[in-house]
Amino acid sequence: MSNKLLLKNIKSLLSVYEIAPLKLTGTEMAKLPTLDNAWLAVEDGIIVDFGDMENFPGITDWKNLEVIDCSGKIVMPGFADSHSHIVYAGNREQEFVDRINGLSYEEIFARGGGILNSAKKLNETSEDELFEQSKQRLYEVIKLGTTAIEIKSGYGLSLESELKMLRVIKRLKDLNLIPVKSTFLGAHAVPLNFIENKQGYIDLLINELLPIIVDEKLADFIDVFCEQNYFTKEETIKILEAGNKFGLQGKVHAEQLSHSGGIQAAVKCNAISVDHLEFCNEDDMHLLKASNTMPTILPGAAYFLNLPLPPAKKMIEFGLPVAFASDFNPGSCPSGNMMQVMSMACVQYKLTPEMAINATTINSAYAMSLSNEVGTITAGKKANFIITKEISSYNYLPYAFGSNLIESVFISGVKF
Ligand code: NIG
Ligand code: FE
């Protein structure tokens, strides 16, 4: 017997599409198809229909039917967080204080801190303990409205520890809470034992780790931190091409601290997304326009490290799609709050609320190849959505930043 759920009297049902596009580009991002005074029907965890309360469906079979009255409340697709590092051990609050006292992110890394600090902690943590810590973070972000997430490795930086991270990501995936995409980010930093032999580390990633990862189906994507003192554009291309050969599409950390050619590498290798983009220039925008790569802004990291703002609005005006994601990680953004990300998109980057909602749902779902499963209210997609508290309009969501306006989060039609 099937389980049915019917939401009625929804004040506004957001992002409704009979047939959903894969992503929204340029001026399309300003549109948010909305149904006021609406109902939404779910069967066995899948959205089956929606409509106007004037045409409320006649109910003949009340068996296994749950009805929820959403008067005064808004229902929207859950957030798709296409960039996170929620598998990590411990935290880096001491580095936070060091930065307040004047050290830069780069200086902390040069002293063996930063990503290397997290790698040391992760090495000392058992797989089970790492899983427990990471699971807590997954629960936390689901409560905050995230209903699909991408998670990266990259704090292992050795064969054993990268595999440990990827196995933890797989265990999180196997909890079957929300869709989880896994990204192999072995090229996050060069570990200390390879500091004089970077090529040796790249060979280890490509020749030893990749075959195991693909064999054990531990990753969906491959990522590189393309940056001065990390990996060059040429190295990025080499690593992405190796991943492509094994069927892993790229996702690049690019142009965050300097202009390093990460966008060029990403586009050349047909990456699904290119993320950060603080130093993205006009030539890069031309490249992106002729590609299928989703430019992704991580406002939490730019905020936390006091970086210049990436040109998100300019990209939209230029006719590009843009996604926004959290970058939840212990170093540059210890927060996975996507409602806050949406608010930053509006306040700091001047996206309209419609653009910000699209950037954190449909476009960020594209950035992790989940367009067909989540990101809009469309029949056939997973019933992963947010019911807000009673609010005046969806503009109130980014406006009242910091307030918890989420009443409940539904995953596959079940309240989390
Ligand atoms: O996305 N930019 C590189 N990597 C992460 C941060 C890594 C860290 O500091 O732990 C990021 O910001
Ligand atoms: Fe990141």
Side-chain angles (χ1 to χ4, degrees):
M1 211 180 308
S2 60
N3 280 306
K4 295 181 190 163
L5 172 68
L6 187 56
L7 308 190
K8 64 174 188 178
N9 297 326
I10 303 167
K11 184 184 173 91
S12 300
L13 180 62
L14 309 187
S15 195
V16 291
Y17 290 93
E18 296 289 340
I19 297 171
L22 294 178
K23 61 181 172 188
L24 298 173
T25 298
T27 50
E28 293 169 353
M29 285 190 70
K31 294 187 201 127
L32 183 69
T34 297
L35 210 54
D36 290 334
N37 195 25
W39 55 268
L40 174 69
V42 174
E43 210 170 309
D44 289 335
I46 302 290
I47 296 169
V48 288
D49 207 356
F50 53 81
D52 205 297
M53 283 306 289
E54 315 239 305
N55 303 303
F56 193 62
I59 299 167
T60 47
D61 182 7
W62 287 88
K63 269 191 244 101
N64 295 306
L65 174 69
E66 184 189 355
V67 180
I68 301 176
D69 190 335
C70 295
S71 296
K73 299 167 187 174
I74 285 171
V75 175
M76 63 176 279
F79 296 114
D81 188 355
S82 61
H83 184 137
S84 93
H85 309 246
I86 64 166
V87 173
Y88 61 82
N91 64 65
R92 305 223 301 266
E93 62 193 47
Q94 184 52 49
E95 292 179 5
F96 168 63
V97 177
D98 293 342
R99 278 208 317 282
I100 293 169
N101 288 324
L103 284 183
S104 72
Y105 183 74
E106 289 100 319
E107 283 164 343
I108 290 169
F109 178 71
R111 291 173 157 198
I115 294 167
L116 298 176
N117 181 357
S118 286
K120 185 166 179 288
K121 291 193 164 82
L122 190 132
N123 259 286
E124 293 159 356
T125 306
S126 72
E127 182 183 312
D128 284 343
E129 172 58 23
L130 189 61
F131 173 67
E132 288 307 321
Q133 290 187 22
S134 307
K135 192 172 74 177
Q136 291 307 317
R137 295 183 197 111
L138 183 63
Y139 275 74
E140 182 194 350
V141 296
I142 296 174
K143 281 269 176 229
L144 292 168
T146 293
T147 64
I149 194 165
E150 179 260 12
I151 310 173
K152 300 174 197 296
S153 72
Y155 293 126
L157 310 183
S158 70
L159 188 119
E160 301 72 28
S161 292
E162 281 297 306
L163 289 175
K164 178 163 78 180
M165 283 191 83
L166 289 164
R167 288 185 182 124
V168 167
I169 298 173
K170 176 138 196 323
R171 284 168 72 179
L172 295 174
K173 203 184 267 210
D174 291 344
L175 290 172
N176 280 321
L177 294 168
I178 60 173
V180 170
K181 289 280 186 169
S182 171
T183 299
F184 171 44
L185 176 58
H188 199 190
V190 181
L192 289 177
N193 54 331
F194 278 97
I195 217 83
E196 302 295 334
N197 179 20
K198 193 185 192 186
Q199 189 53 48
Y201 182 61
I202 295 174
D203 290 343
L204 171 83
L205 297 180
I206 294 180
N207 301 328
E208 295 187 47
L209 257 161
L210 253 181
I212 303 175
I213 289 166
V214 172
D215 197 49
E216 295 188 26
K217 294 191 174 54
L218 289 174
D220 303 293
F221 301 107
I222 185 161
D223 197 341
V224 181
F225 187 15
C226 182
E227 186 63 61
Q228 262 174 49
N229 302 326
Y230 296 80
F231 295 89
T232 64
K233 176 179 130 187
E234 289 69 31
E235 289 160 350
T236 301
I237 292 172
K238 206 168 159 212
I239 295 163
L240 293 182
E241 282 179 345
N244 288 350
K245 262 191 216 126
F246 280 101
L248 302 183
Q249 205 176 354
K251 276 175 85 63
V252 180
H253 282 70
E255 331 300 356
Q256 182 191 15
L257 308 172
S258 65
H259 191 272
S260 307
I263 293 177
Q264 295 165 25
V267 169
K268 183 173 186 335
C269 300
N270 192 31
I272 185 102
S273 80
V274 66
D275 305 20
H276 282 292
L277 314 182
E278 279 75 355
F279 290 85
C280 170
N281 63 29
E282 203 134 321
D283 288 344
D284 294 324
M285 290 195 214
H286 281 283
L287 282 179
L288 285 166
K289 203 158 177 183
S291 79
N292 294 314
T293 303
M294 177 63 74
T296 302
I297 310 296
L298 309 169
Y303 164 77
F304 199 68
L305 298 185
N306 282 304
L307 299 175
L309 298 189
K313 188 70 175 283
K314 211 168 146 195
M315 288 176 177
I316 295 171
E317 285 163 359
F318 192 77
L320 290 172
V322 169
F324 272 66
S326 79
D327 198 18
F328 192 172
N329 77 75
S332 65
C333 185
S335 162
N337 188 330
M338 288 292 284
M339 195 66 91
Q340 186 70 32
V341 165
M342 201 177 94
S343 192
M344 289 170 134
C346 294
V347 176
Q348 296 187 288
Y349 298 81
K350 301 278 181 272
L351 269 66
T352 61
E354 292 82 3
M355 290 172 178
I357 291 171
N358 287 325
T360 50
T361 55
I362 178 170
N363 279 6
S364 48
Y366 174 95
M368 54 172 153
S369 273
L370 281 175
S371 299
N372 293 327
E373 288 184 50
V374 296
T376 62
I377 300 294
T378 302
K381 287 198 184 184
K382 281 190 196 304
N384 288 11
F385 54 80
I386 293 168
I387 303 180
T388 70
K389 293 180 181 162
E390 291 193 27
I391 53 175
S392 38
S393 83
Y394 61 73
N395 293 330
Y396 198 81
L397 296 170
Y399 161 80
F401 73 93
S403 290
N404 179 12
L405 299 171
I406 296 178
E407 184 181 84
S408 51
V409 178
F410 279 72
I411 311 292
S412 294
V414 178
K415 189 171 167 179
F416 182 75

PDB file of all heavy atoms in Angstrom, residues 74 339 386-391 393-408:
ATOM      1  N   ILE A  74       5.119  28.952   3.764  1.00  0.00           N
ATOM      2  CA  ILE A  74       5.667  28.810   2.417  1.00  0.00           C
ATOM      3  C   ILE A  74       6.317  27.442   2.299  1.00  0.00           C
ATOM      4  O   ILE A  74       6.943  26.965   3.254  1.00  0.00           O
ATOM      5  CB  ILE A  74       6.656  29.961   2.149  1.00  0.00           C
ATOM      6  CG1 ILE A  74       5.829  31.236   1.907  1.00  0.00           C
ATOM      7  CG2 ILE A  74       7.580  29.663   0.972  1.00  0.00           C
ATOM      8  CD1 ILE A  74       6.607  32.493   1.832  1.00  0.00           C
ATOM      9  N   MET A 339      20.395  28.814   4.563  1.00  0.00           N
ATOM     10  CA  MET A 339      19.504  29.982   4.636  1.00  0.00           C
ATOM     11  C   MET A 339      20.370  31.239   4.766  1.00  0.00           C
ATOM     12  O   MET A 339      20.089  32.275   4.161  1.00  0.00           O
ATOM     13  CB  MET A 339      18.560  29.826   5.831  1.00  0.00           C
ATOM     14  CG  MET A 339      17.370  30.758   5.802  1.00  0.00           C
ATOM     15  SD  MET A 339      16.204  30.443   4.452  1.00  0.00           S
ATOM     16  CE  MET A 339      15.078  29.293   5.232  1.00  0.00           C
ATOM     17  N   ILE A 386      11.058  22.232   2.256  1.00  0.00           N
ATOM     18  CA  ILE A 386      11.035  22.960   3.528  1.00  0.00           C
ATOM     19  C   ILE A 386       9.639  23.562   3.699  1.00  0.00           C
ATOM     20  O   ILE A 386       9.083  24.118   2.748  1.00  0.00           O
ATOM     21  CB  ILE A 386      12.060  24.124   3.482  1.00  0.00           C
ATOM     22  CG1 ILE A 386      13.491  23.572   3.425  1.00  0.00           C
ATOM     23  CG2 ILE A 386      11.874  25.071   4.658  1.00  0.00           C
ATOM     24  CD1 ILE A 386      14.540  24.638   3.073  1.00  0.00           C
ATOM     25  N   ILE A 387       9.082  23.427   4.913  1.00  0.00           N
ATOM     26  CA  ILE A 387       7.888  24.204   5.255  1.00  0.00           C
ATOM     27  C   ILE A 387       8.362  25.297   6.211  1.00  0.00           C
ATOM     28  O   ILE A 387       8.998  25.006   7.227  1.00  0.00           O
ATOM     29  CB  ILE A 387       6.803  23.344   5.943  1.00  0.00           C
ATOM     30  CG1 ILE A 387       6.412  22.154   5.053  1.00  0.00           C
ATOM     31  CG2 ILE A 387       5.575  24.196   6.275  1.00  0.00           C
ATOM     32  CD1 ILE A 387       5.343  21.244   5.669  1.00  0.00           C
ATOM     33  N   THR A 388       8.086  26.548   5.863  1.00  0.00           N
ATOM     34  CA  THR A 388       8.543  27.656   6.723  1.00  0.00           C
ATOM     35  C   THR A 388       7.545  27.887   7.856  1.00  0.00           C
ATOM     36  O   THR A 388       6.444  27.349   7.855  1.00  0.00           O
ATOM     37  CB  THR A 388       8.678  28.971   5.936  1.00  0.00           C
ATOM     38  OG1 THR A 388       7.361  29.432   5.578  1.00  0.00           O
ATOM     39  CG2 THR A 388       9.528  28.801   4.685  1.00  0.00           C
ATOM     40  N   LYS A 389       7.965  28.704   8.799  1.00  0.00           N
ATOM     41  CA  LYS A 389       7.013  29.209   9.794  1.00  0.00           C
ATOM     42  C   LYS A 389       6.061  30.169   9.075  1.00  0.00           C
ATOM     43  O   LYS A 389       6.270  30.466   7.897  1.00  0.00           O
ATOM     44  CB  LYS A 389       7.775  29.931  10.902  1.00  0.00           C
ATOM     45  CG  LYS A 389       8.627  28.947  11.699  1.00  0.00           C
ATOM     46  CD  LYS A 389       9.394  29.614  12.810  1.00  0.00           C
ATOM     47  CE  LYS A 389      10.220  28.547  13.529  1.00  0.00           C
ATOM     48  NZ  LYS A 389      11.301  29.117  14.335  1.00  0.00           N
ATOM     49  N   GLU A 390       5.077  30.682   9.762  1.00  0.00           N
ATOM     50  CA  GLU A 390       4.169  31.641   9.117  1.00  0.00           C
ATOM     51  C   GLU A 390       4.940  32.931   8.861  1.00  0.00           C
ATOM     52  O   GLU A 390       5.433  33.561   9.795  1.00  0.00           O
ATOM     53  CB  GLU A 390       2.950  31.897  10.014  1.00  0.00           C
ATOM     54  CG  GLU A 390       2.041  30.698  10.110  1.00  0.00           C
ATOM     55  CD  GLU A 390       0.685  31.009  10.735  1.00  0.00           C
ATOM     56  OE1 GLU A 390       0.242  32.175  10.623  1.00  0.00           O
ATOM     57  OE2 GLU A 390       0.102  30.091  11.329  1.00  0.00           O
ATOM     58  N   ILE A 391       5.076  33.286   7.580  1.00  0.00           N
ATOM     59  CA  ILE A 391       5.801  34.510   7.225  1.00  0.00           C
ATOM     60  C   ILE A 391       5.033  35.260   6.139  1.00  0.00           C
ATOM     61  O   ILE A 391       4.161  34.691   5.483  1.00  0.00           O
ATOM     62  CB  ILE A 391       7.248  34.238   6.729  1.00  0.00           C
ATOM     63  CG1 ILE A 391       7.260  33.205   5.586  1.00  0.00           C
ATOM     64  CG2 ILE A 391       8.127  33.781   7.868  1.00  0.00           C
ATOM     65  CD1 ILE A 391       8.637  32.993   4.978  1.00  0.00           C
ATOM     66  N   SER A 393       6.073  36.789   3.216  1.00  0.00           N
ATOM     67  CA  SER A 393       6.362  36.433   1.826  1.00  0.00           C
ATOM     68  C   SER A 393       7.737  35.780   1.792  1.00  0.00           C
ATOM     69  O   SER A 393       8.473  35.830   2.778  1.00  0.00           O
ATOM     70  CB  SER A 393       6.369  37.675   0.914  1.00  0.00           C
ATOM     71  OG  SER A 393       7.635  38.316   0.980  1.00  0.00           O
ATOM     72  N   TYR A 394       8.106  35.240   0.642  1.00  0.00           N
ATOM     73  CA  TYR A 394       9.432  34.594   0.597  1.00  0.00           C
ATOM     74  C   TYR A 394      10.570  35.595   0.704  1.00  0.00           C
ATOM     75  O   TYR A 394      11.690  35.235   1.041  1.00  0.00           O
ATOM     76  CB  TYR A 394       9.570  33.667  -0.620  1.00  0.00           C
ATOM     77  CG  TYR A 394       9.437  34.299  -1.987  1.00  0.00           C
ATOM     78  CD1 TYR A 394      10.447  35.102  -2.510  1.00  0.00           C
ATOM     79  CD2 TYR A 394       8.315  34.066  -2.769  1.00  0.00           C
ATOM     80  CE1 TYR A 394      10.340  35.663  -3.771  1.00  0.00           C
ATOM     81  CE2 TYR A 394       8.192  34.613  -4.032  1.00  0.00           C
ATOM     82  CZ  TYR A 394       9.199  35.415  -4.533  1.00  0.00           C
ATOM     83  OH  TYR A 394       9.087  35.979  -5.772  1.00  0.00           O
ATOM     84  N   ASN A 395      10.296  36.867   0.454  1.00  0.00           N
ATOM     85  CA  ASN A 395      11.349  37.881   0.642  1.00  0.00           C
ATOM     86  C   ASN A 395      11.826  37.926   2.097  1.00  0.00           C
ATOM     87  O   ASN A 395      12.949  38.345   2.385  1.00  0.00           O
ATOM     88  CB  ASN A 395      10.830  39.273   0.279  1.00  0.00           C
ATOM     89  CG  ASN A 395      10.542  39.402  -1.204  1.00  0.00           C
ATOM     90  OD1 ASN A 395      11.185  38.749  -2.011  1.00  0.00           O
ATOM     91  ND2 ASN A 395       9.569  40.230  -1.552  1.00  0.00           N
ATOM     92  N   TYR A 396      10.921  37.511   3.002  1.00  0.00           N
ATOM     93  CA  TYR A 396      11.238  37.557   4.422  1.00  0.00           C
ATOM     94  C   TYR A 396      12.377  36.597   4.776  1.00  0.00           C
ATOM     95  O   TYR A 396      13.088  36.809   5.754  1.00  0.00           O
ATOM     96  CB  TYR A 396       9.970  37.210   5.233  1.00  0.00           C
ATOM     97  CG  TYR A 396      10.039  37.639   6.672  1.00  0.00           C
ATOM     98  CD1 TYR A 396       9.774  38.963   7.041  1.00  0.00           C
ATOM     99  CD2 TYR A 396      10.380  36.735   7.677  1.00  0.00           C
ATOM    100  CE1 TYR A 396       9.853  39.366   8.363  1.00  0.00           C
ATOM    101  CE2 TYR A 396      10.457  37.134   9.002  1.00  0.00           C
ATOM    102  CZ  TYR A 396      10.195  38.440   9.337  1.00  0.00           C
ATOM    103  OH  TYR A 396      10.276  38.839  10.646  1.00  0.00           O
ATOM    104  N   LEU A 397      12.562  35.549   3.962  1.00  0.00           N
ATOM    105  CA  LEU A 397      13.575  34.527   4.287  1.00  0.00           C
ATOM    106  C   LEU A 397      14.988  35.114   4.290  1.00  0.00           C
ATOM    107  O   LEU A 397      15.698  35.006   5.291  1.00  0.00           O
ATOM    108  CB  LEU A 397      13.464  33.333   3.344  1.00  0.00           C
ATOM    109  CG  LEU A 397      12.154  32.531   3.427  1.00  0.00           C
ATOM    110  CD1 LEU A 397      12.060  31.531   2.269  1.00  0.00           C
ATOM    111  CD2 LEU A 397      12.038  31.799   4.755  1.00  0.00           C
ATOM    112  N   PRO A 398      15.438  35.753   3.192  1.00  0.00           N
ATOM    113  CA  PRO A 398      16.774  36.375   3.250  1.00  0.00           C
ATOM    114  C   PRO A 398      16.794  37.668   4.067  1.00  0.00           C
ATOM    115  O   PRO A 398      17.844  38.047   4.593  1.00  0.00           O
ATOM    116  CB  PRO A 398      17.091  36.653   1.775  1.00  0.00           C
ATOM    117  CG  PRO A 398      15.777  36.709   1.077  1.00  0.00           C
ATOM    118  CD  PRO A 398      14.857  35.793   1.832  1.00  0.00           C
ATOM    119  N   TYR A 399      15.636  38.317   4.175  1.00  0.00           N
ATOM    120  CA  TYR A 399      15.537  39.590   4.901  1.00  0.00           C
ATOM    121  C   TYR A 399      15.819  39.403   6.398  1.00  0.00           C
ATOM    122  O   TYR A 399      16.681  40.066   6.963  1.00  0.00           O
ATOM    123  CB  TYR A 399      14.131  40.153   4.665  1.00  0.00           C
ATOM    124  CG  TYR A 399      13.648  41.189   5.642  1.00  0.00           C
ATOM    125  CD1 TYR A 399      14.047  42.519   5.531  1.00  0.00           C
ATOM    126  CD2 TYR A 399      12.761  40.841   6.671  1.00  0.00           C
ATOM    127  CE1 TYR A 399      13.579  43.479   6.421  1.00  0.00           C
ATOM    128  CE2 TYR A 399      12.294  41.782   7.565  1.00  0.00           C
ATOM    129  CZ  TYR A 399      12.702  43.102   7.445  1.00  0.00           C
ATOM    130  OH  TYR A 399      12.253  44.037   8.337  1.00  0.00           O
ATOM    131  N   ALA A 400      15.123  38.467   7.013  1.00  0.00           N
ATOM    132  CA  ALA A 400      15.264  38.288   8.468  1.00  0.00           C
ATOM    133  C   ALA A 400      16.444  37.364   8.749  1.00  0.00           C
ATOM    134  O   ALA A 400      16.284  36.272   9.305  1.00  0.00           O
ATOM    135  CB  ALA A 400      13.972  37.740   9.054  1.00  0.00           C
ATOM    136  N   PHE A 401      17.628  37.780   8.336  1.00  0.00           N
ATOM    137  CA  PHE A 401      18.799  36.897   8.418  1.00  0.00           C
ATOM    138  C   PHE A 401      19.086  36.518   9.869  1.00  0.00           C
ATOM    139  O   PHE A 401      18.966  37.332  10.770  1.00  0.00           O
ATOM    140  CB  PHE A 401      20.029  37.549   7.768  1.00  0.00           C
ATOM    141  CG  PHE A 401      20.648  38.670   8.556  1.00  0.00           C
ATOM    142  CD1 PHE A 401      21.692  38.422   9.435  1.00  0.00           C
ATOM    143  CD2 PHE A 401      20.192  39.960   8.413  1.00  0.00           C
ATOM    144  CE1 PHE A 401      22.267  39.450  10.155  1.00  0.00           C
ATOM    145  CE2 PHE A 401      20.752  41.001   9.131  1.00  0.00           C
ATOM    146  CZ  PHE A 401      21.795  40.751  10.017  1.00  0.00           C
ATOM    147  N   GLY A 402      19.419  35.253  10.052  1.00  0.00           N
ATOM    148  CA  GLY A 402      19.739  34.803  11.409  1.00  0.00           C
ATOM    149  C   GLY A 402      18.540  34.250  12.165  1.00  0.00           C
ATOM    150  O   GLY A 402      18.715  33.507  13.120  1.00  0.00           O
ATOM    151  N   SER A 403      17.312  34.603  11.755  1.00  0.00           N
ATOM    152  CA  SER A 403      16.152  34.004  12.424  1.00  0.00           C
ATOM    153  C   SER A 403      15.959  32.595  11.879  1.00  0.00           C
ATOM    154  O   SER A 403      16.183  32.347  10.701  1.00  0.00           O
ATOM    155  CB  SER A 403      14.880  34.798  12.112  1.00  0.00           C
ATOM    156  OG  SER A 403      14.922  36.041  12.741  1.00  0.00           O
ATOM    157  N   ASN A 404      15.526  31.699  12.735  1.00  0.00           N
ATOM    158  CA  ASN A 404      15.216  30.363  12.237  1.00  0.00           C
ATOM    159  C   ASN A 404      13.775  30.344  11.746  1.00  0.00           C
ATOM    160  O   ASN A 404      12.842  30.278  12.539  1.00  0.00           O
ATOM    161  CB  ASN A 404      15.433  29.311  13.327  1.00  0.00           C
ATOM    162  CG  ASN A 404      15.088  27.927  12.806  1.00  0.00           C
ATOM    163  OD1 ASN A 404      14.900  27.747  11.594  1.00  0.00           O
ATOM    164  ND2 ASN A 404      14.982  26.969  13.687  1.00  0.00           N
ATOM    165  N   LEU A 405      13.617  30.414  10.447  1.00  0.00           N
ATOM    166  CA  LEU A 405      12.271  30.514   9.869  1.00  0.00           C
ATOM    167  C   LEU A 405      11.777  29.175   9.330  1.00  0.00           C
ATOM    168  O   LEU A 405      10.743  29.110   8.701  1.00  0.00           O
ATOM    169  CB  LEU A 405      12.276  31.569   8.759  1.00  0.00           C
ATOM    170  CG  LEU A 405      12.648  32.976   9.263  1.00  0.00           C
ATOM    171  CD1 LEU A 405      12.858  33.932   8.106  1.00  0.00           C
ATOM    172  CD2 LEU A 405      11.561  33.506  10.193  1.00  0.00           C
ATOM    173  N   ILE A 406      12.551  28.119   9.563  1.00  0.00           N
ATOM    174  CA  ILE A 406      12.153  26.797   9.078  1.00  0.00           C
ATOM    175  C   ILE A 406      11.323  26.098  10.144  1.00  0.00           C
ATOM    176  O   ILE A 406      11.758  25.937  11.280  1.00  0.00           O
ATOM    177  CB  ILE A 406      13.394  25.941   8.733  1.00  0.00           C
ATOM    178  CG1 ILE A 406      14.157  26.588   7.572  1.00  0.00           C
ATOM    179  CG2 ILE A 406      12.995  24.512   8.394  1.00  0.00           C
ATOM    180  CD1 ILE A 406      15.426  25.865   7.159  1.00  0.00           C
ATOM    181  N   GLU A 407      10.100  25.708   9.772  1.00  0.00           N
ATOM    182  CA  GLU A 407       9.284  24.950  10.724  1.00  0.00           C
ATOM    183  C   GLU A 407       9.621  23.475  10.637  1.00  0.00           C
ATOM    184  O   GLU A 407       9.811  22.810  11.649  1.00  0.00           O
ATOM    185  CB  GLU A 407       7.804  25.153  10.440  1.00  0.00           C
ATOM    186  CG  GLU A 407       6.947  24.445  11.471  1.00  0.00           C
ATOM    187  CD  GLU A 407       5.487  24.623  11.188  1.00  0.00           C
ATOM    188  OE1 GLU A 407       4.954  23.852  10.369  1.00  0.00           O
ATOM    189  OE2 GLU A 407       4.891  25.546  11.756  1.00  0.00           O
ATOM    190  N   SER A 408       9.694  22.957   9.395  1.00  0.00           N
ATOM    191  CA  SER A 408      10.057  21.539   9.270  1.00  0.00           C
ATOM    192  C   SER A 408      10.689  21.263   7.914  1.00  0.00           C
ATOM    193  O   SER A 408      10.501  22.001   6.947  1.00  0.00           O
ATOM    194  CB  SER A 408       8.833  20.644   9.482  1.00  0.00           C
ATOM    195  OG  SER A 408       7.777  21.076   8.671  1.00  0.00           O
TER     196      SER A 408
END
